[in-house]
């Protein structure tokens, strides 16, 4: 079936919903989302959202912290835009009805996380994302111009390629006309045409075996743009969160927020010794790349599968009231965090790169925006400062919406787009072919393209990926479309982009650490000697 909308938004997290709310008074919006609308990374965000609210904090301090964390690979103009617009975007959230914790004096109770020189993280206890997701979704569902299609999976962006033209990455006139979208309950593929298409498809965590990301994070948006010959960048910068709960039976890994370290929790070895002083003077609150590498190293030294996070010295009542979700979660698996240490392990958490966009979220493909985690705005550089991603999503959703509202009526709906064709394909009756390939892919990526990399490991990963790619393309061509095969294909494309960009980077920088290009100031002898 063919459907026409002014705006097609793919994804229902903070980026997609806040964009939709800002354009819906002007045109018809369709949001497609591949699971239930609330199932997003946004829902699971714990620590909060960084913004400059009061003195002694200043925009300049937040800008400096962001640049330091990003190892100066950030785009200074984008950093300045994002931080100086932070206060206004928080006001938007408040206007929509989001509430943040306050102190007795009525000011926001600001938290602090790794790499921040000031207390500036607004939070709603330890479940900030849930508060934001629920409020934005509630607002979106109320709006008469927003049509929400749950369990609808975007398969492919529609471009001139679908009109029979040859589209290569050297063309600078590629246009997006909408997307082919599959209803995953019926497997019917609709042609959704739009004046403007907005990718808000989130992250890629499931490329790795351990991740804090929900199952929806399979890099679909990035892979679709790559296939459509758009520009992708900075994919080598994968952030591993240092402290995911070590609970091998559970997937995704439950996050133990960095705010807990901001509150005073200390990282310790399995023998109960603190170790961060060996790696960085900021100790447990050093930026994430440093902390994750230090933990990885300590795990290799001790041969253990985890290290500990110790909260036992903290005020019991305050601990429970500030971190009720973590307290309850740990208790549910037999760990009372007020009396026992929490076993933690690094897990893939966030991708700094993605679809290259400009300061209005415009991708290299005309009429296609990318916002939120799937976009590469230049804010994060080589490493994201904690709690800057919810902020980035809001700022660029706003900027994209302002731009989109100005221009969308100039675009006509494209004629002659063919319907999706399944001709010549049959139902794949062997799910094992897909599930095993996903496991193989995740093992390769975790073993060879994780926190510590080398030329040899990357080459080995690429060789293994080649086999998975060929087998999957072969299966894809023969099979009736399904969400699983599409996601596997997308994960493989994303893995390929990560490896290729990591191979190109002949230095250790931010989140990309290579044994072949050590840096003196990284105290790299600590990492070299044990890997
Ligand atoms: P998401 O919220 O992930 O939404 C993506 C949407 O796209 C989903 O609706 C998904 O179903 C949909 N989608 C994907 N592919 C398709 C497709 N093919 N077709 C249709 N729909 C599709 N950041 C902070 O700033 N502060 C924090 O405290 C924080 N804590 C975090 C804790 C956890 C456990 C995790 C995982 C992340 C955390 N982050 C945090 C990062 C932050 O949550 C994400 O970067 C941010 O929420 C991304 O928002 P988004 O709208 O881009 O994507
Ligand atoms: C956390 O709460 O530790 C996650 C914050 C983030 O990813 O920005």
């Amino acid at each position: 079936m063919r459907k026409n909308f002014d705006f097609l938004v793919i994804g229902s997290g903070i980026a997609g919903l806040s964009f939709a709310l800002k354009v819906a008074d002007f045109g018809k919006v369709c949001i497609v989302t591949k699971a239930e609308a609330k199932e997003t990374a946004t829902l699971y965000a714990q620590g909060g959202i960084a913004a400059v609210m009061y003195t002694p904090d200043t925009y300049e301090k937040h800008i400096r912290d962001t640049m330091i964390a990003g190892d100066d690979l950030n785009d200074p103009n984008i950093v300045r835009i994002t931080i100086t617009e932070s206060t206004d975007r928080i006001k938007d959230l408040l206007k929509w009805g989001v509430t943040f914790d306050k102190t007795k004096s009525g000011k926001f109770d600001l938290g602090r996380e790794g790499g921040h020189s000031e207390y500036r993280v607004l939070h709603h206890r330890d479940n900030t994302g849930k508060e934001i997701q629920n409020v934005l979704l509630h607002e979106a569902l109320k709006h008469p111009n927003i049509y929400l299609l749950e369990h609808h999976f975007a398969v492919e962006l529609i471009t001139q390629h679908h009109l029979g033209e040859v589209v290569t990455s050297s063309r600078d006139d590629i246009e997006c006309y909408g997307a082919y979208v599959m209803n995953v309950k019926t497997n019917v593929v609709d042609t959704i045409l739009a004046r403007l298409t907005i990718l808000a498809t989130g992250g890629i965590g499931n490329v790795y075996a351990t991740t804090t990301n929900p199952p929806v994070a399979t890099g679909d948006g990035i892979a679709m743009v790559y296939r459509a010959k758009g520009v992708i960048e900075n994919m080598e910068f994968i952030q591993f969160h240092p402290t995911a709960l070590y609970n091998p039976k559970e997937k995704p890994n439950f996050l133990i927020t960095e705010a807990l370290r901001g509150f005073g929790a200390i990282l310790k070895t399995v023998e109960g010794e603190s170790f961060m002083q060996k790696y960085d003077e900021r100790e447990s609150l050093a930026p994430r790349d440093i902390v994750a590498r230090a933990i990885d190293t300590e795990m290799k030294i001790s041969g253990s599968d985890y290290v500990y996070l110790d909260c036992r010295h903290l005020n019991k009542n305050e601990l429970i009231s500030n971190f009720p979700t973590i307290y309850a979660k740990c208790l549910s698996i037999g760990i009372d965090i007020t009396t026992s240490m929490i076993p933690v392990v690094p897990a893939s958490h966030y991708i700094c790169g993605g679809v290259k966009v400009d300061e209005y979220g415009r991708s290299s493909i005309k009429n296609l925006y990318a916002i939120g985690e799937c976009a590469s705005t230049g804010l994060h550089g080589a490493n994201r400062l904690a709690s800057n991603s919810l902020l980035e999503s809001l700022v660029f959703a706003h900027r994209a919406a302002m731009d989109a509202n100005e221009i969308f009526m100039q675009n006509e709906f494209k004629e002659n787009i063919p319907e999706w064709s399944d001709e010549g394909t049959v139902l794949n009756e062997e799910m094992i072919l897909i599930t095993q390939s996903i496991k193989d892919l995740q093992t390769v990526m975790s073993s060879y393209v994780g926190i510590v990399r080398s030329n040899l490991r990357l080459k080995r990963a690429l060789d293994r990926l080649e086999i998975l790619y060929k087998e999957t393309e072969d299966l894809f061509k023969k099979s009736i479309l399904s969400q699983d095969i599409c996601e596997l294909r997308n994960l493989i494309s994303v893995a390929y982009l990560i490896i290729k960009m990591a191979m190109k980077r002949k230095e250790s920088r931010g989140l990309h650490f290579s044994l072949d290009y050590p840096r003196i100031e990284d105290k790299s002898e600590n990492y070299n000697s044990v890997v």
Side-chain angles (χ1 to χ4, degrees), residues 40 90 146 149 194 206 240 260 315 383 397 399 439 445 503 524:
T40 60
I90 295 297
I146 298 180
L149 297 175
N206 290 286
F240 285 77
L260 198 50
N315 178 291
N383 185 16
R399 296 179 71 83
K439 279 188 207 150
M445 291 302 287
M503 283 175 134
S524 44

Side-chain angles (χ1 to χ4, degrees), residues 330-382:
C330 290
L331 210 54
S332 77
I333 58 164
I335 301 165
D336 179 345
I337 66 171
T338 65
T339 54
S340 301
M341 293 194 282
I342 311 171
V344 291
V345 64
S348 115
H349 183 61
Y350 184 84
I351 183 151
C352 295
V355 179
K356 184 175 167 55
V357 294
D358 68 9
E359 67 267 39
Y360 293 100
R362 295 178 288 216
S363 76
S364 64
I365 297 178
K366 232 176 137 222
N367 305 328
L368 179 72
Y369 295 77
I371 50 177
E373 191 168 335
C374 69
S376 177
T377 60
L379 173 67
H380 309 304

Side-chain angles (χ1 to χ4, degrees), residues 46-47 113 241 255 257-258 288 349 384 386-387:
Q46 289 185 3
E113 294 175 14
H241 197 290
L255 186 78
T257 177
E258 192 159 318
R288 276 184 199 171
H349 183 61
R384 175 180 67 104
S387 289

Side-chain angles (χ1 to χ4, degrees), residues 11-12 14-15 33-34 40-42 45 47-48 154 201-202 220 350 373 387 389-390:
S12 57
I14 185 171
T33 186
K34 66 178 171 176
T40 60
T42 303
T201 47
D220 300 345
Y350 184 84
E373 191 168 335
S387 289
S389 51
L390 292 173

Side-chain angles (χ1 to χ4, degrees), residues 10-16 32-37 39-50 113 128 133 152-155 200-203 212-214 216 218 220-221 224 253 255 257 349-350 371-374 384 386-391 393 490:
I10 305 174
S12 57
I14 185 171
V32 298
T33 186
K34 66 178 171 176
E36 273 182 51
E39 186 55 6
T40 60
T42 303
L43 183 75
Y44 299 98
Q46 289 185 3
I49 176 162
E113 294 175 14
T128 311
Q133 181 72 35
H152 276 67
F153 182 90
V155 178
T201 47
T212 62
N213 289 191
V216 291
T218 53
D220 300 345
M224 281 191 282
N253 291 57
L255 186 78
T257 177
H349 183 61
Y350 184 84
I371 50 177
E373 191 168 335
C374 69
R384 175 180 67 104
S387 289
N388 260 358
S389 51
L390 292 173
L391 172 65
S393 299
N490 291 338

Side-chain angles (χ1 to χ4, degrees), residues 23-73:
V23 295
D25 288 344
F26 306 96
K28 259 172 52 180
V29 186
C30 175
I31 304 178
V32 298
T33 186
K34 66 178 171 176
E36 273 182 51
K38 69 172 185 345
E39 186 55 6
T40 60
T42 303
L43 183 75
Y44 299 98
Q46 289 185 3
I49 176 162
V52 176
M53 302 304 288
Y54 311 117
T55 53
D57 201 7
T58 61
Y59 291 135
E60 293 312 317
K61 286 184 189 171
H62 193 176
I63 288 170
R64 194 168 57 241
D65 293 346
T66 301
M67 296 292 297
I68 291 171
D71 213 351
D72 269 334
L73 214 64

